[in-house]
Amino acid sequence: MGPHPAVAAIRLAVRRVLHDVLTEFHRHADHDRPAEAARRPAHAARSRYAEAGAVGRRTLPERPDTPLVLVACSGGADSMALASALAFEARKLAVRAGGITVDHNLQPGSGLRAAEVVTRLTAMDLDPVEAVAVHVGREGGPEAAARDARYAALDAAAERHGAAAVLLGHTRDDQAETVLLGLARGSGIRSLSGMAAASGPADRYRRPFLQLDRQAVRKACLVQSLPVWDDPHNIDPAFTRSRLRHEGLPALEKALGKGVVEALARTAQLSRDDADALDTWAAQAELSVRDETGRLECAKLYVLPPAVRRRVLRRALIEAGAPAGSLFARHLEEVDRLITGWRGQRAINLPGRVEAMRQGGRLVIRQS
């Protein structure tokens, strides 16, 4: 008799991601190997071969020949289910599995809970396993600040351990919430595309559960008798996502019927495909709207479709030093009016001490 359908579903989702990680790992290893061999002195190669012969001619790798995959685990149902599936699948594949839990220091006893998570992950035979304590600032609000601190800690842990990937337990429900939050902010199509299945430096972060709902993941924990911790912040109405989860989405399902979560997740994927295509178009268009000195020509920008033009402007502003996370639609609209509604406006001040102005038919973007 096979595993419970919920358990089988989470394992299959993780197995697919691990196969992708393995394929990419070996592709990069094969690409690097000829260059390393060319740089290696001949006598060094002979020395290593002789050393291998001393242990039965088994090659001694200069680095681990299997990728390390870490799971980011808070102790909640989503990440505990993810950790259990990673531990199960890693035993069958040429993958090393470890775990990281981040202590945000935002609640009493958070250090003890982080230690409990470490104990549970270690009991699953994950290695390495560690808890990382962070300081959460205030910039962008409590939720954004906690997220920034968490990802900074995960990035550092991945670099420290040489991890090929970090698995995150975001589900289809999380994706639906992310789309609605972007819609409420009046964000563009990139924000409506939600979370990518792979993101971060070199696609470090992988989200195997984006096609699985939260109920199925919690069921997988229940049938495996996995202890889980329910973060009280997840039901605290002081947090926007919590209100959306417990009030907003249920109200939408009551008004529109079941299937809202699935529809929003589908919208995210369609939006991501469109946004990727527009980004590619903008990258190509940017080459044709600059003069011989590299400055943007307003007349050439004017004839571009608005969605493409604003992407070109955004890329230019970020390149000049404007923080991507601080550039909002209103900033781009102001800069865009220098192209489409020129009335002799003054320079526009933007985040990162960047200013944009129109001079002699050119758009000048510089850091003051």
Side-chain angles (χ1 to χ4, degrees):
M1 184 175 179
H4 186 279
V7 176
I10 66 170
R11 289 177 179 175
L12 176 60
V14 169
R15 188 183 316 143
R16 287 171 172 166
V17 169
L18 294 184
H19 278 299
D20 291 342
V21 171
L22 275 168
T23 299
E24 294 164 15
F25 179 83
H26 291 304
R27 183 187 302 127
H28 293 152
D30 292 341
H31 179 269
D32 294 342
R33 194 170 293 120
E36 291 176 359
R39 290 194 301 267
R40 186 183 305 149
H43 66 84
R46 287 194 298 272
S47 173
R48 262 185 287 277
Y49 181 80
E51 186 179 4
V55 291
R57 299 209 179 274
R58 182 181 60 188
T59 302
L60 298 178
E62 296 181 62
R63 62 183 181 182
D65 58 359
T66 55
L68 171 65
V69 176
L70 300 174
V71 57
C73 185
S74 67
D78 301 345
S79 57
M80 284 299 293
L82 183 58
S84 72
L86 173 61
F88 181 85
E89 293 298 330
R91 298 187 192 105
K92 303 189 295 181
L93 298 170
V95 173
R96 294 176 295 135
I100 302 293
T101 186
V102 178
D103 174 13
H104 297 83
N105 284 304
L106 294 176
Q107 302 173 46
S110 63
L112 290 175
R113 280 189 292 274
E116 290 175 0
V117 173
V118 167
T119 299
R120 292 170 186 171
L121 296 181
T122 302
M124 294 179 184
D125 293 329
L126 299 185
D127 182 39
V129 173
E130 68 173 340
V132 180
V134 299
H135 170 73
V136 177
R138 297 182 178 181
E139 186 175 354
E143 292 168 281
R147 183 175 59 250
D148 290 345
R150 179 167 60 254
Y151 276 100
L154 294 175
D155 277 334
E159 294 291 341
R160 185 165 58 252
H161 294 291
V166 178
L167 304 189
L168 304 176
H170 297 122
T171 64
R172 186 167 60 192
D173 299 75
D174 295 308
Q175 184 74 297
E177 293 162 9
T178 301
V179 172
L180 283 176
L181 288 170
L183 186 63
R185 288 192 298 265
S187 302
I189 194 172
R190 176 56 71 186
S191 181
L192 297 183
S193 65
M195 296 174 286
S199 65
D203 284 343
R204 167 180 291 158
Y205 295 108
R206 308 296 177 106
R207 298 177 175 86
F209 291 170
L210 285 183
Q211 301 302 318
L212 301 176
D213 61 57
R214 190 175 289 137
Q215 185 176 1
V217 173
R218 185 170 284 274
K219 182 67 174 180
C221 288
L222 180 64
V223 299
Q224 294 179 100
S225 300
L226 292 174
V228 299
W229 173 63
D230 290 317
D231 187 346
H233 281 176
N234 289 336
I235 57 173
D236 188 342
F239 298 102
T240 304
R241 187 178 285 268
S242 175
R243 294 195 302 273
L244 179 60
R245 179 174 301 176
H246 298 288
E247 300 173 24
L249 269 173
L252 281 176
E253 291 199 332
K254 182 178 180 180
L256 303 176
K258 294 293 183 181
V260 170
V261 168
E262 292 86 345
L264 288 169
R266 188 163 58 251
T267 296
Q269 185 56 58
L270 294 171
S271 297
R272 181 166 297 279
D273 292 342
D274 290 348
D276 288 345
L278 287 168
D279 285 346
T280 299
W281 186 355
Q284 295 169 347
E286 185 176 359
L287 301 176
S288 66
V289 297
R290 292 186 181 273
D291 63 16
E292 62 277 3
T293 65
R295 292 185 300 174
L296 293 166
E297 298 186 63
C298 295
K300 292 181 179 179
L301 284 168
Y302 183 86
V303 298
L304 291 176
V308 177
R309 182 174 60 247
R310 291 180 182 180
R311 279 169 165 76
V312 172
L313 295 176
R314 178 180 173 82
R315 287 165 60 95
L317 294 172
I318 292 173
E319 185 178 320
S326 300
L327 276 178
F328 302 127
R330 67 177 186 273
H331 297 132
L332 292 176
E333 288 170 3
E334 290 183 33
V335 177
D336 196 42
R337 277 195 288 271
L338 295 176
I339 309 300
T340 62
W342 174 240
R343 297 292 185 274
Q345 299 97 312
R346 294 181 178 180
I348 297 170
N349 295 318
L350 299 157
R353 294 185 297 105
V354 171
E355 62 177 17
M357 67 187 75
R358 180 165 174 158
Q359 289 181 344
R362 304 292 191 272
L363 186 65
V364 179
I365 300 174
R366 63 192 181 194
Q367 200 166 35
S368 59

